[in-house]
Amino acid sequence: MGIFDKLRNEFIDIIEWTDSSTDTIVWKFPRYQNEIKMNAKLTVRESQVAVFMNEGKIADVFQPGMYTLTTQNMPILSTLQGWKYGFNSPFKADVFFVSMRQFTNQKWGTKNPVMLRDAEFGPLRLRAFGSYAFRVKDAGAFLKEVAATNPEFTVEGINEQLRNLAVSRGMEAIAEAKIPVLDLAANYEEVSTAITGKIGTEFNELGLELTKFLIENVSLPPEVEAALDKRSSIGIVGNLGAYSQFQAANAMEKAAENPSGGGLAAAGLGAGMGAAMMGQVGNIFQNNNQQQANAGGGAPPPLPTAAPFFVAVDGKQSGPFDQEQLRQLAAAGSLNAQTLVWKTGMAAWSAAGTVPELAPVLATVPPPLP
């Protein structure tokens, strides 16, 4: 400091701090050899306090207002200095101005994923980030615990420690809340309140107050999010048949926008293939369902059908015919008891009247007219 600075400081008797920054918490008033004149004017603005320190010990603390410094309004400093009577000579003291306003939009976030156990998905790795706000609650405690005798102390000087507290205690509170991962977004406020209560005490130990704690996002690893997206897509598709129709309609609409004829043909082919594939998928599901039902005893298997017969009509082999067709032949007169018939398992052609299985068929044939 030059001679002119020394002289200027000797004659200055106004002590104040005009804070033009946005991140300064503590600022030390500069004075040559820390000498302050008795009856100097002290101005403390709103959202500030002035702390007088003598030989490393905190003395008097002044709240917002304008003061004329005398031994009467500096009782602690007067005691420390051993002033028994008033005097007008300069005295030595460090004057620290402490900002009491809120420091907002301070970011926090996990550097690495944190392992948690979820009731639905089991062990998961989570990332989280958000913001918080704080302010100095006890200027004296903050100076003793954090700022010490630094002539200027900014938010960045303590932000790393506060961020570590927020992440450590924050993720611990999320784990203790046991809220399912898929429901966290709907419970950010509840979790934020729990975290505020958990780390508020540790802020108070530093002379600080945590005024706001916000969770902006809790995210899963990319591969887990991709799996959840597929699961959600299946749930949204629902009816596969309706989905195939929707896809086909989209393809035809896009083809109509193509002025060339090839687009429409390709769309028709694609739609047809899509419908065929969906039909096959539907058949697979239907067959699986039928097999499961049969295996589980839900529905009986179909009744066995009798083997078809071949019939000799006008000396020629005809057929094969099932029972209903044989009844029609009998009603038409083409089948009677003497008609030769054969089916798989018979050694040779035999008259229909000698085959027990055809008795019900022949019984429906009226006898010849008298």
Side-chain angles (χ1 to χ4, degrees):
M1 180 178 291
I3 186 64
F4 292 105
D5 294 331
K6 176 181 180 301
L7 293 175
R8 184 169 60 250
N9 285 334
E10 289 294 338
F11 288 102
I12 293 175
D13 59 355
I14 297 177
I15 302 173
E16 62 180 354
W17 177 34
T18 304
D19 183 13
S20 58
S21 69
T22 59
D23 62 346
T24 302
I25 304 178
V26 178
W27 181 78
K28 181 181 179 182
F29 181 77
R31 179 55 62 94
Y32 179 71
Q33 294 184 352
N34 299 332
E35 290 186 352
I36 299 174
K37 294 180 181 180
M38 193 61 68
N39 296 318
K41 300 295 183 182
L42 172 66
T43 301
V44 183
R45 290 174 169 80
E46 289 292 341
S47 74
Q48 296 178 356
V49 296
V51 179
F52 280 66
M53 188 175 291
N54 178 67
E55 296 180 355
K57 296 181 179 179
I58 293 177
D60 301 285
V61 179
F62 292 84
Q63 300 298 324
M66 182 175 288
Y67 305 87
T68 299
L69 298 180
T70 63
T71 55
Q72 284 74 25
N73 56 22
M74 294 186 294
I76 299 178
L77 185 60
S78 299
T79 301
L80 293 175
Q81 291 280 11
W83 299 328
K84 298 181 180 180
Y85 307 99
F87 59 93
N88 295 320
S89 62
F91 62 92
K92 290 186 178 183
D94 294 317
V95 182
F96 292 90
F97 284 89
V98 181
S99 176
M100 306 295 286
R101 69 179 183 86
Q102 286 196 69
F103 294 93
T104 60
N105 201 31
Q106 307 301 311
K107 302 298 183 181
W108 68 272
T110 54
K111 295 181 180 179
N112 299 301
V114 178
M115 183 68 75
L116 295 177
R117 185 180 299 277
D118 184 73
E120 183 175 357
F121 300 108
L124 285 176
R125 291 182 293 116
L126 295 182
R127 287 183 178 272
F129 65 86
S131 61
Y132 65 95
F134 73 94
R135 64 184 172 197
V136 177
K137 181 180 181 182
D138 186 334
F142 182 76
L143 284 173
K144 287 190 295 185
E145 299 294 335
V146 181
T149 58
N150 291 326
E152 186 170 340
F153 192 88
T154 63
V155 172
E156 192 57 34
I158 195 174
N159 231 350
E160 185 68 21
Q161 181 178 354
L162 298 184
R163 277 196 295 263
N164 291 338
L165 276 175
V167 172
S168 175
R169 301 297 183 264
M171 298 308 292
E172 184 179 333
I174 291 177
E176 290 179 353
K178 296 183 179 180
I179 298 175
V181 170
L182 298 183
D183 296 333
L184 275 177
N187 293 275
Y188 279 172
E189 183 176 356
E190 177 185 343
V191 177
S192 296
T193 302
I195 295 174
T196 301
K198 198 172 190 64
I199 65 179
T201 303
E202 299 192 44
F203 272 60
N204 292 340
E205 293 175 355
L206 301 175
L208 301 174
E209 178 185 6
L210 179 64
T211 57
K212 185 73 68 175
F213 189 93
L214 299 176
I215 300 174
E216 297 178 20
N217 180 262
V218 176
S219 60
L220 297 166
E223 58 273 15
V224 178
E225 292 184 349
L228 285 176
D229 289 341
K230 290 182 180 179
R231 175 176 174 179
S232 301
S233 299
I234 294 173
I236 292 174
V237 168
N239 189 324
L240 294 177
Y243 179 70
S244 65
Q245 295 176 3
F246 172 74
Q247 292 288 78
N250 282 343
M252 296 180 67
E253 181 179 356
K254 291 180 179 179
E257 297 174 357
N258 188 352
S260 63
L264 188 58
L269 178 61
M273 292 180 64
M277 291 178 66
M278 294 310 300
Q280 293 177 3
V281 172
N283 290 338
I284 292 174
F285 288 157
Q286 183 177 1
N287 292 338
N288 288 341
N289 291 338
Q290 182 65 41
Q291 293 174 3
Q292 292 174 0
N294 293 342
L303 292 173
T305 58
F309 280 86
F310 290 90
V311 179
V313 180
D314 297 331
K316 297 181 180 179
Q317 176 183 315
S318 300
F321 301 106
D322 59 18
Q323 293 290 323
E324 183 59 32
Q325 291 173 327
L326 291 174
R327 286 189 181 90
Q328 294 176 2
L329 290 175
S334 299
L335 175 65
N336 53 45
Q338 290 74 36
T339 304
L340 296 177
V341 296
W342 180 87
K343 72 170 185 176
T344 302
M346 294 177 61
W349 290 79
S350 303
T354 62
V355 179
E357 292 180 44
L358 296 181
V361 175
L362 297 176
T364 61
V365 180
L369 292 173

